[in-house]
Amino acid sequence: MALSPPEVPRGGEQEARTRDETLRADVVGALERGELSLAYQPVVRLPTGRPVGFEALLRWQHPQHGAVPAAALVSAAEETGAIVDIGHWVLQQSVREMGRWRSEVDGGSTLMIGVNISGVQMLDAGFPDVVRDVLETSGLDPSALLLELTESVLMPDTARTAAGVQALRSLGVRVAIDDFGTGYSSLTYLRDLPVTTIKVDQSFVQDLQRPGSRSPQIVQAVLGLAGSLGLDAIVEGVETAAQESILGEMGVTLAQGYLWARPLEPTHVPEWLDGSLPR
Ligand code: C2E
Ligand code: MG
Ligand code: MG
């Protein structure tokens, strides 16, 4: 039997591999070199479009490669362990900035802040203590902090994850399942974990108007599920007025997306709030 020839990586693959290696090498120390920053995307209430808070999103300006997508940054940081320090910084920085907006911006006192948490951070039994310290130092009301966990974070060891989520909830913070509907067993997470919020993945919104799409029924069912469990539902990735109107008719009350604002630099947040908050 003829042996198959060894696999020769195609140009694109080879390039991607080299880029991943470069990112892994460079992510260590990126924080200390001042290459990381945060952008803040508003979460709004429908139908008014008034902000209820923001989600903090990592940005990496690489000296050679320019802006690196957040997902690539996060996986490089997870693979090297750099995510622990980076994640701590994200939490500290975003909680501190939100504290300032709540006290300094007219009408801003009830805003909340969403922070994405990596599975690597959740694996650390000391993580709830880190969150407690950050809250104590900043003085932010714990219920103004929403920790966003993707289903890949919530992974197989349910007992351990449940204990971790419970420890976070005991601090008074809110916990969301992010990108809901894209993982494998969302319903067991809803059954077993004391989460407060579901973030409906943006792929369902993008697919809403495709002829024959099942996304409208799925979004409607998720809203029903959230409602009967007493959870908040935030729909992500709303880009058009048509999507907003379909979602509004379904009863969506919380959303985020380019329709209202792209992620903003922190210096632009007070100004954006100024034009959007009731006074
Ligand atoms: P995510 O938590 O689901 O964040 C929402 C993503 O959707 C963000 O991408 C945001 O810029 C993008 N987005 C918002 N509105 C729209 C829209 O209307 N249309 C479209 N097409 N996209 C929209 P981004 O900033 O590239 O972040 C990607 C992912 O990286 C995040 O997804 C999150 O999982 C992860 N990430 C970002 N920052 C952090 C962080 O500080 N820590 C951790 N662990 N993960 C983070
Ligand atoms: Mg998120
Ligand atoms: Mg998401």
Side-chain angles (χ1 to χ4, degrees), residues 38 41 55-59 69-71 74 78 83 90 116-118 121 148 150 178-179 202 206 236-239 256-259 261 263:
L38 290 175
Q41 186 178 41
E55 175 174 9
L57 294 161
L58 262 171
R59 295 292 177 257
V74 170
E78 284 174 336
I83 194 69
V90 170
N116 294 287
I117 301 301
S118 155
Q121 292 170 278
E148 303 190 3
T150 57
D178 204 349
D179 304 343
Q202 58 186 49
Q206 278 153 21
E236 302 188 275
V238 182
E239 295 183 355
Q256 68 188 88
Y258 298 162
L259 177 62

Side-chain angles (χ1 to χ4, degrees), residues 15-270:
E15 237 170 64
R17 206 171 302 159
T18 315
R19 196 206 49 212
D20 290 351
E21 278 163 19
T22 312
L23 292 185
R24 276 197 295 274
D26 293 351
V27 77
V28 180
L31 184 59
E32 290 74 13
R33 292 191 301 272
E35 294 165 11
L36 303 186
S37 62
L38 290 175
Y40 293 91
Q41 186 178 41
V43 177
V44 303
R45 189 176 294 286
L46 299 187
T48 57
R50 292 214 174 115
V52 296
F54 290 83
E55 175 174 9
L57 294 161
L58 262 171
R59 295 292 177 257
W60 183 8
Q61 191 63 30
H62 189 285
Q64 279 91 44
H65 304 294
V68 177
L73 154 59
V74 170
S75 39
E78 284 174 336
E79 285 162 27
T80 55
I83 194 69
V84 173
D85 287 347
I86 294 175
H88 191 183
W89 173 80
V90 170
L91 193 63
Q92 262 176 336
Q93 182 75 3
S94 56
V95 160
R96 191 185 308 141
E97 273 175 325
M98 176 47 71
R100 217 180 36 243
W101 296 326
R102 279 166 60 103
S103 61
E104 291 176 7
V105 177
D106 220 8
S109 64
T110 60
L111 292 170
M112 43 117 331
I113 182 72
V115 180
N116 294 287
I117 301 301
S118 155
V120 178
Q121 292 170 278
M122 277 300 282
L123 282 178
D124 174 7
F127 181 62
D129 294 332
V130 170
V131 176
R132 183 194 295 114
D133 282 354
V134 168
L135 286 168
E136 278 175 7
T137 309
S138 68
L140 187 81
D141 174 355
S143 68
L145 176 61
L146 175 69
L147 299 176
E148 303 190 3
L149 314 176
T150 57
E151 290 182 39
S152 60
V153 169
L154 297 171
M155 278 180 325
D157 190 349
T158 327
R160 187 168 168 186
T161 312
V165 174
Q166 185 54 59
L168 293 170
R169 293 283 294 118
S170 311
L171 301 174
V173 305
R174 307 169 71 74
V175 175
I177 302 184
D178 204 349
D179 304 343
F180 187 81
T182 57
Y184 295 105
S185 52
S186 323
L187 297 179
T188 52
Y189 299 129
L190 286 183
R191 185 191 63 193
D192 298 336
L193 304 176
V195 298
T196 57
T197 308
I198 293 175
K199 294 195 78 170
V200 179
D201 190 63
Q202 58 186 49
S203 58
F204 295 102
V205 177
Q206 278 153 21
D207 187 57
L208 271 184
Q209 290 163 289
R210 184 177 56 79
S213 167
R214 291 177 169 177
S215 289
Q217 290 84 345
I218 293 173
V219 173
Q220 192 78 73
V222 173
L223 288 177
L225 200 53
S228 44
L229 293 171
L231 308 180
D232 286 334
I234 303 174
V235 177
E236 302 188 275
V238 182
E239 295 183 355
T240 68
Q243 290 167 344
E244 180 196 11
S245 121
I246 296 170
L247 293 167
E249 274 169 31
M250 286 180 180
V252 170
T253 56
L254 296 169
Q256 68 188 88
Y258 298 162
L259 177 62
W260 297 281
R262 287 185 177 255
L264 305 163
E265 282 179 33
T267 49
H268 294 157
V269 166

